[in-house]
Amino acid sequence: MTTLTIVSLLPSLMNTNGDAENASVLRRRAEWAGLDARVVAVGSRADLPDRVDAVVIGSGSDASLETARSTLLTMHDELRTWGTDGVPILSVGTGWELLSWGIEHRDGSTIEGLGILPGRAVPRDGRVTGDAVVTSPRFGLLVGFENHARDYVGAEGSPLGRLRSGVGNGRGSGQEGVVMGTVIGTHLRGPVLAKNPGFADHLLASMAERAGLDYAPGPAAAVADGYATAAREAQLGAVGAAASVGDA
């Protein structure tokens, strides 16, 4: 049987809020569906496996941006090829920003991105921390926790979804994230796939189809999905309560 290979890029640098563990969520749900799957941690280009069915890039600190960018640049051609070939690439926080056109700092300095995704990260006044709820036309209702000090501009035509609560891309856009084909950038952390199993299943279905396999959530997923539903309902309830207080 084909083994689905999920690449976790730079997990030692890019794992704030456990975002690199989105790769583990994909692996476990694939196994629950009766599919063989593995996660390959990639710290350098030499670590890349021959087969890649999905890629996860988590978020790191600003102190690690230059190091992470230098390493990702060595895999620029592979990232472009994967995106063109329909390999799902999930990037979170600064991992997403590094795949963009670039990052602007408050002091005027910039970090050039890899240009895989449209838009760029720009300074904002104050850090955003809190719950976010997003309605995505492709992935449904998504919940997560956002923690970022930059807004994202230039991707108005291709967001992950519309905000129901939270700041998202900021600047009054009402949008969260960016999508270009199968390459996805988001502020949603937690990790996002654990809280949103339907999102994970969409990615897994795409992975399986490319590999000539069938995917359907296995019975064992029901238990984890129950926990995810409870967590989502609690988060949605908290957001609704906060909105009610704000409207009072």
Side-chain angles (χ1 to χ4, degrees):
M1 178 182 290
T2 299
T3 298
L4 296 175
T5 300
I6 303 145
V7 165
S8 178
L9 282 181
L10 313 185
S12 63
L13 289 176
M14 315 289 281
N15 197 22
T16 303
N17 300 120
D19 302 313
E21 299 310 315
N22 283 304
S24 298
V25 175
L26 291 174
R27 174 183 59 80
R28 184 54 59 88
R29 293 188 74 82
E31 292 173 344
W32 287 339
L35 301 177
D36 288 337
R38 64 172 181 156
V39 173
V40 177
V42 171
S44 70
R45 191 175 185 278
D47 298 331
L48 287 175
D50 293 333
R51 178 186 183 90
V52 176
D53 294 287
V55 178
V56 169
I57 311 173
S59 185
S61 69
D62 279 6
S64 67
L65 280 176
E66 289 287 2
T67 300
R69 175 184 177 275
S70 295
T71 304
L72 290 175
L73 274 175
T74 68
M75 296 176 259
H76 181 268
D77 290 348
E78 284 82 1
L79 283 162
R80 281 204 175 278
T81 298
W82 296 330
T84 301
D85 289 349
V87 173
I89 300 176
L90 175 63
S91 56
V92 182
T94 59
W96 161 27
E97 293 176 349
L98 287 170
L99 295 190
S100 75
W101 296 333
I103 301 167
E104 298 178 9
H105 292 303
R106 192 170 299 280
D107 63 5
S109 62
T110 61
I111 295 177
E112 185 177 357
L114 274 68
I116 307 294
L117 286 169
R120 66 177 62 249
V122 297
R124 61 169 287 116
D125 293 329
R127 174 172 289 275
V128 174
T129 56
D131 293 325
V133 179
V134 179
T135 301
S136 170
R138 187 183 301 182
F139 306 115
L141 185 68
L142 304 176
V143 302
F145 182 82
E146 54 183 338
N147 177 12
H148 54 100
R150 285 182 285 270
D151 291 331
Y152 197 86
V153 298
E156 287 75 10
S158 53
L160 174 62
R162 301 287 303 179
L163 283 167
R164 285 182 53 178
S165 179
V167 174
N169 294 354
R171 305 290 169 108
S173 68
Q175 299 179 341
E176 157 55 26
V178 62
V179 176
M180 180 64 73
T182 56
V183 186
I184 302 164
T186 183
H187 291 109
L188 300 180
R189 306 186 179 201
V192 63
L193 296 185
K195 288 187 176 181
N196 301 281
F199 188 6
D201 286 340
H202 186 101
L203 300 182
L204 282 160
S206 178
M207 293 162 57
E209 182 179 3
R210 290 187 72 256
L213 304 171
D214 293 323
Y215 174 78
V223 176
D225 291 356
Y227 290 125
T229 296
R232 285 163 58 87
E233 289 177 350
Q235 188 167 345
L236 289 169
V239 167
S244 298
V245 170
D247 292 338

